[in-house]
Amino acid sequence: KRHEGLLTLLNYAALCYISIHFVRETYLMKKGMILVVYVGIMAAVCGILQPFGIDLSRWGSGGVPISFFGNQNYAGGYMAMVIFFGIGLLLETNYGKGQKILAGIGSLIIYACLIITKNRGGFLGFLIGLMIFLILNRAEIWKRRKITAIYGLMILLITVGLCLNEKTSPLPKLTGTIRIVQSQGKEKIEAAGTFANRIQIWNTTLHIIRDNPIFGIGPDALRMAATKYETLKFIHAEGGYNVLIDKAHNEMLDITATRGLVGLFVYLWVLVSFFIFVGRLWKGMKYPDKWLISAGIAAIFSYLIQNEVGFGVVPTSALFWILIGSIIGIGVKYIEGSSYTLKINPLLRLCLP
């Protein structure tokens, strides 16, 4: 068990609520981002060294880049979120030159660790988050095109360099996602590796949802329910009868299976309300505050995307809810101190003082 039942969900809600009430200024969010980047750099260095036989953790990684997280996918998911804090601090105008250099180098180290973890979901989340970040800040990024070009070149060089090394290249895992097989004299494409496992897990989860559609089976109860729905394809894909799943590896399916359509509706309502709030807030905000807010938004998107082929764990999920709470808190404070009028969704009002 991962012990991510009702108590953990309540803790996430508490973190969000506390962040709304205590993070009311961008400088507080900035301090938090700096701290998280420092932690991310240390974790990234540990993960980068592990494939080369240098393990600074006590996990006994066996050459797998798990950093301090115990699993390479957890490490990659965390890096895919934290990297945007480094990028935001690099471009933020009120940050000292030496601190900007540290933020830039730190984010590159974090990116290198993300590549080395070979986490496909994390990298997909990073790409979508980066796209969101670039779209939101396109005009300001063009003004800083020199530093942006240098940073982009460094990203390219790191990517190529790591892909050329057998120990660090993610290409074999990426290309192993699908395979071409012969079926009745014709070639067809089918899922392979862990991606094939995911499809069987999703099928099993859909059967659970079909039988428990309204309220689900309860938080963190998927492992107990899944045994009833195992098929021969599932057993074959997972490698034996003794392998049990405890996560659907897709957040929407997992929420629906464990909390039902009611839980899914509430979760989607929270997200939609938040993004409507952020969209209206963005129109009234100014730089340099927008760099920090957009970095948080990019990290949130990265989390959401990677969880459609994986799942959140305490380091990433806690950070996700703290970010949501912090942005809401800053938004409310910003509105109170300006002439800008912003309508607040009734759901968000429940969390506000």
Side-chain angles (χ1 to χ4, degrees):
K1 287 178 64 66
R2 300 182 193 276
H3 301 288
E4 294 180 355
L6 181 61
L7 182 59
T8 302
L9 297 177
L10 291 174
N11 282 328
Y12 290 151
L15 284 173
C16 183
Y17 185 82
I18 291 169
S19 299
I20 290 172
H21 286 263
F22 287 92
V23 184
R24 308 300 294 272
E25 303 284 352
T26 51
Y27 83 88
L28 293 173
M29 187 176 185
K30 182 177 179 179
K31 287 184 176 181
M33 285 185 171
I34 293 171
L35 177 61
V36 173
V37 168
Y38 285 152
V39 173
I41 292 172
M42 291 186 287
V45 169
C46 179
I48 291 170
L49 294 177
Q50 284 169 335
F52 301 96
I54 305 173
D55 192 352
L56 302 179
S57 72
R58 295 184 179 181
W59 285 98
S61 66
V64 180
I66 61 175
S67 186
F68 301 116
F69 298 88
N71 183 293
Q72 65 192 87
N73 291 330
Y74 305 164
Y78 185 79
M79 301 302 160
M81 295 180 69
V82 175
I83 186 174
F84 293 108
F85 301 166
I87 295 174
L89 292 170
L90 172 65
L91 296 172
E92 207 259 343
T93 53
N94 290 342
Y95 210 39
K97 185 176 180 181
Q99 294 171 317
K100 281 178 175 289
I101 294 173
L102 179 60
I105 294 174
S107 63
L108 292 174
I109 293 173
I110 291 169
Y111 175 75
C113 185
L114 170 60
I115 293 292
I116 290 174
T117 61
K118 307 172 186 177
N119 181 0
R120 291 166 295 193
F123 193 70
L124 179 61
F126 165 70
L127 290 179
I128 299 299
L130 182 62
M131 188 184 304
I132 297 296
F133 185 83
L134 293 175
I135 291 172
L136 289 175
N137 301 293
R138 55 192 180 279
E140 291 297 315
I141 287 176
W142 177 250
K143 295 177 183 178
R144 294 165 173 75
R145 53 188 177 275
K146 184 176 180 181
I147 188 172
T148 303
I150 294 172
Y151 189 85
L153 178 61
M154 295 300 295
I155 288 285
L156 179 62
L157 291 175
I158 290 172
T159 304
V160 172
L162 292 176
C163 287
L164 292 176
N165 188 298
E166 184 179 354
K167 291 183 177 180
T168 59
S169 176
L171 296 179
K173 187 173 182 179
L174 292 174
T175 56
T177 301
I178 58 174
R179 63 184 177 186
I180 300 175
V181 298
Q182 292 287 339
S183 178
Q184 298 179 349
K186 297 181 180 180
E187 290 185 347
K188 70 173 185 178
I189 299 175
E190 66 177 25
T194 55
F195 183 55
N197 298 4
R198 298 287 190 274
I199 293 176
Q200 295 305 318
I201 292 173
W202 296 338
N203 286 334
T204 299
T205 306
L206 286 171
H207 283 90
I208 295 173
I209 293 171
R210 182 192 62 188
D211 292 347
N212 306 272
I214 306 302
F215 297 107
I217 57 176
D220 203 27
L222 194 65
R223 182 172 183 172
M224 293 182 288
T227 54
K228 178 182 175 182
Y229 299 89
E230 287 181 351
T231 63
L232 289 176
K233 284 187 177 181
F234 172 82
I235 294 169
H236 176 72
E238 288 297 303
Y241 287 93
N242 294 324
V243 179
L244 299 174
I245 63 167
D246 57 358
K247 289 290 184 180
H249 293 270
N250 178 288
E251 189 166 47
M252 297 305 169
L253 291 179
D254 195 90
I255 290 174
T256 310
T258 58
R259 281 151 269 178
L261 292 172
V262 173
L264 180 64
F265 174 77
V266 172
Y267 180 67
L268 292 177
W269 186 20
V270 170
L271 289 182
V272 171
S273 300
F274 170 74
F275 284 122
I276 291 174
F277 177 85
V278 169
R280 293 170 177 169
L281 173 65
W282 184 261
K283 296 178 182 178
M285 292 196 75
K286 297 179 181 179
Y287 289 95
D289 291 344
K290 279 188 172 183
W291 289 117
L292 303 179
I293 298 300
S294 60
I297 294 170
I300 288 170
F301 268 98
S302 177
Y303 174 87
L304 292 172
I305 295 301
Q306 63 181 275
N307 279 1
E308 295 314 304
V309 290
F311 53 87
V313 290
V314 172
T316 54
S317 295
L319 183 58
F320 170 76
W321 288 110
I322 289 171
L323 281 172
I324 285 182
S326 299
I327 292 174
I328 293 173
I330 290 170
V332 172
K333 181 67 175 181
Y334 179 83
I335 295 161
E336 290 175 350
S338 70
S339 59
Y340 185 71
T341 303
L342 176 64
K343 295 181 180 179
I344 302 177
N345 189 287
L347 179 64
L348 294 180
R349 288 188 181 276
L350 296 176
C351 303
L352 302 177

